[in-house]
C-alpha cells in the first residue's frame, strides 16, 4: 500500500479513535443519555472496508456503529447531536447512538438487534439490483451474529441471487461477556460455513488496515463485477466495556494479559509506526492531525450541546410515513 | 350490471393492477408462482410480469422480510405473502423491531412501504399452528397498519391502498373468505385504510366485526330479526388505525355492543373495542358490552372439538339476546343445516 493511501486510512482511524475517546470522556457528564458501544481497538475494520466504497454504496451496521458511520463519511456533528438527544441529530434524537443514519453518504442505518440488519443490507443490494443500479451493500456485524439463523438466511439468498454484498464479520471474540468457547464449537470454521452457502470468504487481521483494505477491495470488486457476495472475517478486539465508556477487565471475564496483547497490536499505532518507518509521517505532522481532529470534535460537541431538544409535539411525529 | 368476482380473484386483480401501475412493486412469497398460486390469489402473475417482479423465495421468512425491508428502503414496494399467519411468526423480529420502527427511529428519514399478506386458516383440522389470527399482536405495535377485509370489494380496494401506503401494512386474509363472491369494480380504486363501514343498520345493538366474523354477524342479525331485534353491524375493515368514531357513534345510538373476534378473548381486538366503548361512551350504555371470541385454548384439530371452538352466528345471537333480555324464538334459534361445521361451504374439501 502506498504511503499516501495509508496516510489517509491512518487519519480516518485516528479521527474515529479520538471521537470515541472524547465520547468516553464526556459520558461522565451524563448528558449523553443513551447506551454507547465504543469501537476503540476496532477502527481498522471500519476504515479499511469503507475506503473501498463510494457514497452511492450502502452500509448497514449494528450496535457498535460509530466507526462504520464515520468511516463511511457520516456527519460528525449530527452524530454527536444524536447522542445528546438533540433535534439536530441524524435521527432527530429518536434513535441515539444505536440508530445512526446518514443518507447523503449511503449509511442506511444501524440497529442493535444482533444480526438483524444483515438481511436488510442484502435487501438494499437486491432492491438496487431490481432497479438496475449497481451498488455494493456492506453489512457490518460481530461474530455473535453468525450464530443467528438470519445470518445464514441472508448468505443463502445473497449467494443464490449473486448480489453485490460484502458481509463483514468483526470477530472480537466476545458477545458482551460470553467468550467464543461457550458459544461455538472449537472446530467451527466460518470460512467453511460461507463456502457451504456458496459465498466467497476470506479471513484476515482486522487490526491491520492495509490487510482489511486489500481484502475489502477484492470483495467490493467482485461485487461490482457481478461475482456475488463475499464474507470477510476480520479478527479484532474491543478495548473498552461492551457498553459504556470504561474499561472492564476488572470483571474477570477476560485476562489482563489477553487485553495487553491486543493493545500492543493497536491498529492506529500500527499504521502510525508503518508510516513513520517509511518516513511518511513525522511527529509534527501527527501533532497537526491531532490538533485538527480535536478542533473538529470541539466544534461538533459545541454544536451538539447547544442544539435544542425536540419539541414535545415530536413525540407522535413519524410513527407513520405521510 | 354489476360485476361479480371472488375474494381471491379480487386480490389477484389488485396485485395485477399494482404491478402494472408501478414498476417499483414486486410480489414475493413462498409458493407465489406455484401451480396453486396462494389459493388463486397470485395465479398468472409471474407469466405476465416475469420472475423479477413475481417471485418465489427461500423458506427464510425472517431473512426475506429483512430483504424486503432493505429493498423498500432503496425505493421498491414489496408485497410479501405468507400462506398462514403462523408462518410469519418466523419474521416477527423483522416486522416489529425493524419494519415498524425505521420511519420513527430515524426521525422520518426512512420509510418502509411494505405489505405483508398473511392468511388465517380455519377448519379441516388446521389445528394449533395453521389457524392463528394474531391481528392483536401486530395492531399492538405503533408503526404497523393492520387491515382485515371481509368482502371482495374491500379486499381489492384495501390491498391497492396498502400497496400505495408508505408505511408497513399487515394485510390479513381469512381463508374462509377466499371463495366468497361479491361486487368488484374494474380498474384501480382505493378503500381508505382506517375507515370502518356500517354493513347493516339497526337500532337495538351494535355488533363490531372484522374479516370473516362480519359474515357471521350478518347471519346472527338474521336470527335476531326473527326475535324482533335489529342489529347494527360495523365492519372495522382496518384494525389499526381503528375508526373509533364510527364504532362509538353506533354504540351511542344503540346503547349495546357485542365485539367479535377471530382470535382469543384475552388482550385481543374485541377487548380493545370494549375498552374504548367503556372509556368513551359508558354513559350511553344500556347494558355491559360483551365479547364473542375464541375460548382460551389452542385450536384443536379434531372436528369434534374444533366445532365447539369457533363462535358462530347462533352464539353471537345468544350473546345479543342476553344483552337485550330477549328470549329466543325456539323454532328459529339455530337452523339445522346438516352441513359440516369445519368448512366454509360445501365446495371446500380441504386440505389447506
Amino acid at each position: 500500500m502506498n504511503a499516501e493511501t495509508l496516510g489517509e486510512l491512518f487519519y480516518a482511524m485516528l479521527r474515529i479513535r479520538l471521537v470515541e475517546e472524547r465520547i468516553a470522556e464526556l459520558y461522565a457528564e451524563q448528558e449523553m443519555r443513551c447506551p454507547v458501544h465504543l469501537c476503540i481497538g476496532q477502527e481498522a475494520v471500519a476504515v479499511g472496508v469503507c475506503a473501498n466504497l463510494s457514497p452511492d454504496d450502502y452500509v448497514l451496521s449494528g450496535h457498535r456503529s460509530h466507526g462504520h458511520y464515520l468511516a463511511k463519511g457520516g456527519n460528525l456533528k449530527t452524530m454527536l447531536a444524536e447522542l445528546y438527544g438533540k433535534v439536530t441529530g441524524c435521527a432527530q434524537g429518536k434513535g441515539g447512538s444505536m440508530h445512526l443514519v446518514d443518507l447523503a453518504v449511503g449509511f442506511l442505518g444501524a440497529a442493535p438487534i444482533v444480526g438483524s440488519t444483515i438481511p436488510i443490507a442484502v435487501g438494499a443490494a437486491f432492491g438496487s439490483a431490481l432497479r438496475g443500479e449497481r451498488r455494493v451493500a456492506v453489512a457490518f456485524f460481530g461474530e455473535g451474529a453468525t450464530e443467528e439463523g438470519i445470518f445464514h438466511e441472508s448468505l443463502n439468498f445473497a449467494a443464490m441471487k449473486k448480489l453485490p454484498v460484502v458481509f463483514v464479520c468483526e470477530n472480537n471474540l466476545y458477545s458482551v461477556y460470553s467468550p467464543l468457547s461457550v458459544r461455538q464449537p472449537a472446530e467451527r470454521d466460518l470460512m467453511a460455513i460461507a463456502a457451504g452457502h456458496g459465498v466467497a470468504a476470506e479471513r484476515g487481521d482486522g487490526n491491520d488496515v492495509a490487510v482489511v483494505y486489500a481484502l475489502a477491495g477484492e470483495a467490493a470488486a467482485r461485487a461490482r463485477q457481478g461475482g456475488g457476495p463475499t464474507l470477510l472475517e476480520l479478527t479484532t478486539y474491543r478495548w473498552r466495556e461492551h457498553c459504556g465508556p470504561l474499561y472492564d477487565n476488572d470483571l474477570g471475564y477476560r485476562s489482563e494479559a489477553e487485553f495487553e496483547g491486543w493493545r500492543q497490536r493497536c491498529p492506529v499505532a500500527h499504521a502510525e509506526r508503518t508510516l513513520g518507518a517509511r518516513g511518511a509521517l513525522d511527529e509534527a505532522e501527527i501533532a497537526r492531525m491531532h490538533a485538527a481532529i480535536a478542533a473538529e470534535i470541539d466544534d461538533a460537541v459545541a454544536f451538539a450541546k447547544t442544539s435544542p431538544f425536540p419539541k414535545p409535539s415530536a413525540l407522535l411525529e413519524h410513527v407513520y410515513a405521510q | 350490471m354489476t360485476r361479480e368476482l371472488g375474494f381471491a380473484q379480487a386480490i389477484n386483480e389488485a396485485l395485477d393492477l399494482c404491478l402494472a401501475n408501478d414498476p417499483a412493486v414486486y410480489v414475493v412469497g413462498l409458493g407465489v408462482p406455484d401451480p396453486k398460486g396462494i389459493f388463486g390469489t397470485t395465479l398468472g402473475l409471474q407469466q405476465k410480469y416475469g420472475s423479477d417482479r413475481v417471485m418465489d423465495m427461500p423458506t427464510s421468512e425472517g431473512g426475506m422480510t429483512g430483504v424486503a425491508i432493505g429493498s423498500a428502503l432503496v425505493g421498491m414496494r414489496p408485497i410479501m405473502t405468507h400462506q398462514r399467519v403462523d408462518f410469519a411468526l418466523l419474521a416477527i423480529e423483522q416486522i416489529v423491531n425493524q419494519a415498524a420502527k425505521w420511519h420513527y427511529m430515524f426521525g422520518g428519514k426512512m420509510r418502509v412501504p411494505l405489505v405483508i399478506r398473511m392468511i388465517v386458516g380455519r377448519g379441516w383440522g388446521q389445528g394449533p399452528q395453521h389457524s392463528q389470527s394474531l391481528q392483536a399482536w401486530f395492531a399492538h405495535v405503533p408503526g404497523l397498519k393492520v387491515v382485515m377485509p371481509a368482502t371482495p370489494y374491500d379486499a381489492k380496494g384495501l390491498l391497492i391502498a396498502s400497496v400505495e401506503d408508505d408505511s408497513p401494512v399487515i394485510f390479513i386474509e381469512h381463508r374462509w373468505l377466499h371463495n366468497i363472491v361479491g361486487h368488484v369494480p374494474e380498474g384501480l380504486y382505493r378503500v381508505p385504510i382506517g375507515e370502518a363501514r356500517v354493513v347493516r343498520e339497526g337500532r337495538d345493538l351494535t355488533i363490531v366485526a372484522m374479516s370473516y366474523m362480519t359474515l357471521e354477524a350478518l347471519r346472527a342479525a338474521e336470527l335476531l330479526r326473527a326475535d324482533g331485534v335489529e342489529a347494527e353491524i360495523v365492519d372495522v375493515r382496518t384494525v389499526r388505525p381503528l375508526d373509533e368514531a364510527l364504532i362509538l357513534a353506533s354504540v351511542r345510538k344503540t346503547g349495546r355492543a357485542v365485539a367479535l373476534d377471530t382470535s382469543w378473548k384475552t388482550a385481543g381486538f374485541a377487548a380493545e373495542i370494549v375498552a374504548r366503548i367503556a372509556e368513551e361512551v359508558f354513559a350511553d350504555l344500556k347494558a355491559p358490552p360483551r365479547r364473542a371470541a375464541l375460548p382460551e385454548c389452542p385450536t384443536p384439530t379434531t372436528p369434534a372439538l374444533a366445532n365447539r371452538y369457533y363462535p358462530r352466528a347462533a352464539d353471537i345471537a345468544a350473546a345479543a339476546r342476553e344483552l337485550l333480555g330477549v328470549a329466543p324464538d325456539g323454532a328459529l334459534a339455530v337452523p339445522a343445516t346438516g352441513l359440516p361445521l369445519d368448512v366454509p361451504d360445501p365446495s371446500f374439501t380441504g386440505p389447506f
Side-chain angles (χ1 to χ4, degrees):
Chain A
M1 171 173 286
N2 66 51
E4 192 189 338
T5 305
L6 185 59
E8 286 167 8
L9 301 184
F10 167 71
Y11 187 86
M13 287 194 295
L14 181 65
R15 180 168 173 266
I16 293 169
R17 171 70 56 93
L18 296 180
V19 168
E20 294 287 69
E21 286 181 344
R22 184 71 69 89
I23 290 169
E25 186 188 316
L26 292 170
Y27 203 72
E29 295 177 351
Q30 303 214 330
E31 288 178 32
M32 278 180 256
R33 302 189 78 85
C34 63
V36 290
H37 302 78
L38 304 180
C39 69
I40 294 172
Q42 305 187 196
E43 298 89 346
V45 175
V47 167
V49 170
C50 291
N52 288 284
L53 304 177
S54 81
D56 286 341
D57 295 323
Y58 297 126
V59 164
L60 287 110
S61 181
H63 52 283
R64 200 175 308 284
S65 69
H66 297 177
H68 308 140
Y69 171 95
L70 291 171
K72 190 67 172 58
N75 185 300
L76 176 62
K77 285 184 173 177
T78 59
M79 170 183 147
L80 288 180
E82 188 61 32
L83 269 59
Y84 278 90
K86 299 302 179 70
V87 72
T88 53
C90 58
Q92 298 186 18
K94 285 176 169 170
S97 161
M98 296 191 286
H99 297 295
L100 299 180
V101 63
D102 192 339
L103 295 183
V105 297
F107 191 87
L108 275 192
I113 308 299
V114 172
S116 191
T117 54
I118 301 174
I120 297 176
V122 173
F126 182 54
S128 68
L130 288 174
R131 290 160 61 88
E133 303 162 349
R134 194 166 277 257
R135 300 182 194 227
V136 174
V138 173
F140 283 104
F141 51 91
E143 87 288 348
T146 72
E147 295 154 18
E148 298 282 0
I150 209 158
F151 162 75
H152 301 274
E153 297 180 16
S154 301
L155 261 64
N156 176 65
F157 185 73
M160 183 180 74
K161 294 283 185 187
K162 273 193 169 308
L163 294 175
V165 181
V166 184
F167 298 97
V168 180
C169 174
E170 288 182 80
N171 185 347
N172 70 5
L173 313 180
Y174 294 89
S175 185
V176 190
Y177 306 128
S178 304
L180 278 172
S181 61
V182 300
R183 297 186 288 120
Q184 300 179 8
E187 62 274 18
R188 188 182 195 260
D189 178 4
L190 194 57
M191 300 296 97
I193 289 171
H197 285 299
V199 173
E202 296 285 348
R203 178 180 280 141
D205 180 356
N207 278 20
D208 186 335
V209 75
V211 169
V212 175
Y213 180 79
L215 290 175
E218 288 167 27
R222 179 180 294 119
R224 286 186 214 289
Q225 289 154 16
T230 304
L231 171 73
L232 301 179
E233 183 185 13
L234 302 164
T235 310
T236 183
Y237 202 74
R238 154 176 64 77
W239 289 14
R240 306 238 177 174
E241 58 191 331
H242 160 70
C243 179
L246 307 173
Y247 292 94
D248 68 352
N249 299 328
D250 57 304
L251 294 177
Y253 72 100
R254 59 189 194 184
S255 70
E256 197 64 39
E258 178 185 282
F259 171 79
E260 263 312 312
W262 280 97
R263 211 171 61 85
Q264 295 303 318
R265 299 179 48 209
C266 171
V268 185
H270 179 257
E272 187 181 314
R273 279 195 304 272
T274 306
L275 286 165
R278 291 203 214 162
L281 192 63
D282 58 23
E283 292 295 327
E285 180 59 16
I286 292 170
R288 272 195 295 276
M289 286 179 172
H290 276 262
I293 293 168
E296 187 195 359
I297 297 173
D298 289 345
D299 257 9
V301 170
F303 172 79
K305 286 193 167 194
T306 57
S307 286
F309 283 110
K311 293 195 181 84
S313 61
L315 179 66
L316 295 177
E317 285 172 5
H318 301 134
V319 178
Y320 296 102
Q322 300 301 321
Chain B
M1 188 175 142
T2 61
R3 191 176 73 129
E4 300 269 302
L5 209 61
F7 190 101
Q9 288 69 44
I11 297 277
N12 184 275
E13 196 167 275
L15 294 172
D16 192 342
L17 290 164
C18 289
L19 283 159
N21 193 45
D22 184 350
V25 170
Y26 73 97
V27 176
V28 59
L30 195 62
V32 156
D34 79 14
K36 299 277 181 77
I38 317 288
F39 312 112
T41 60
T42 56
L43 283 178
L45 296 175
Q46 192 180 58
Q47 289 83 345
K48 192 166 174 182
Y49 295 99
S51 58
D52 279 348
R53 301 199 58 204
V54 179
M55 62 190 86
D56 219 313
M57 72 174 206
T59 316
S60 307
E61 289 83 356
M64 289 307 298
T65 303
V67 168
I69 292 167
S71 74
L73 297 177
V74 301
M76 301 301 291
R77 306 186 81 87
I79 306 169
M80 179 167 258
T81 297
H82 301 288
Q83 302 208 21
R84 285 290 182 269
V85 175
D86 318 61
F87 308 162
L89 298 190
L90 287 158
I92 201 83
E93 191 282 317
Q94 287 290 325
I95 296 170
V96 173
N97 281 331
Q98 310 306 342
K101 299 193 175 42
W102 276 58
H103 189 63
Y104 189 85
M105 78 186 182
F106 291 115
K109 279 189 181 164
M110 319 292 281
R111 45 189 62 196
V112 184
L114 165 67
V115 176
I116 307 180
R117 294 176 55 206
M118 302 178 191
I119 294 161
V120 179
R122 174 169 167 176
W124 206 276
Q126 297 303 298
Q129 296 181 354
H130 275 46
S131 66
Q132 292 174 91
S133 190
L134 299 172
Q135 60 275 8
W137 286 31
F138 299 107
H140 185 61
V141 179
L144 297 179
K145 297 184 179 182
V146 182
V147 171
M148 291 185 81
T151 67
Y153 178 93
D154 286 343
K156 179 178 169 184
L158 275 167
L159 184 50
I160 292 168
S162 299
V163 173
E164 292 178 350
D165 199 287
D166 277 341
S167 296
V169 180
I170 308 298
F171 190 92
I172 300 178
E173 300 161 34
H174 197 290
R175 182 72 185 99
W176 278 22
L177 293 174
H178 278 140
N179 292 343
I180 69 166
V181 174
H183 169 58
V184 176
E186 291 186 50
L188 279 168
Y189 67 89
R190 290 100 189 149
V191 171
I193 293 174
E195 284 188 13
R197 183 173 75 101
V198 175
V199 177
R200 183 189 195 279
E201 291 191 15
R203 60 176 187 271
D204 297 320
L205 85 154
T206 300
I207 302 177
V208 182
M210 95 296 254
S211 185
Y212 178 72
M213 292 313 283
T214 304
L215 270 61
E216 291 285 7
L218 284 164
R219 292 178 196 129
E222 288 307 304
L223 297 176
L224 290 166
R225 186 153 72 174
D227 301 326
V229 173
E230 289 301 331
E232 179 148 301
I233 299 172
V234 176
D235 171 8
V236 297
R237 302 197 287 187
T238 299
V239 173
R240 183 186 187 113
L242 190 61
D243 188 352
E244 187 181 87
L246 191 79
I247 297 164
L248 298 180
S250 175
V251 177
R252 267 192 206 101
K253 181 175 81 174
T254 63
R256 298 177 186 90
V258 178
L260 309 186
D261 208 334
T262 53
S263 191
W264 297 293
K265 209 175 219 180
T266 300
F269 165 79
E272 177 67 27
I273 297 295
V274 169
R276 294 199 191 205
I277 289 169
E279 281 181 341
E280 302 298 330
V281 294
F282 191 81
D284 297 300
L285 289 176
K286 296 168 186 160
R290 297 289 305 268
R291 287 175 281 173
L294 298 179
E296 301 294 323
C297 61
T299 310
T301 299
T302 171
L305 297 176
N307 287 348
R308 309 174 69 87
Y309 182 65
Y310 291 100
R312 295 167 180 280
D315 305 303
I316 299 164
R321 288 190 197 101
E322 241 182 82
L323 270 185
L324 288 148
V326 175
D329 181 329
L332 290 166
V334 183
T337 61
L339 292 172
L341 295 176
D342 67 341
V343 290
D345 62 75
S347 74
F348 189 96
T349 57
F352 194 49

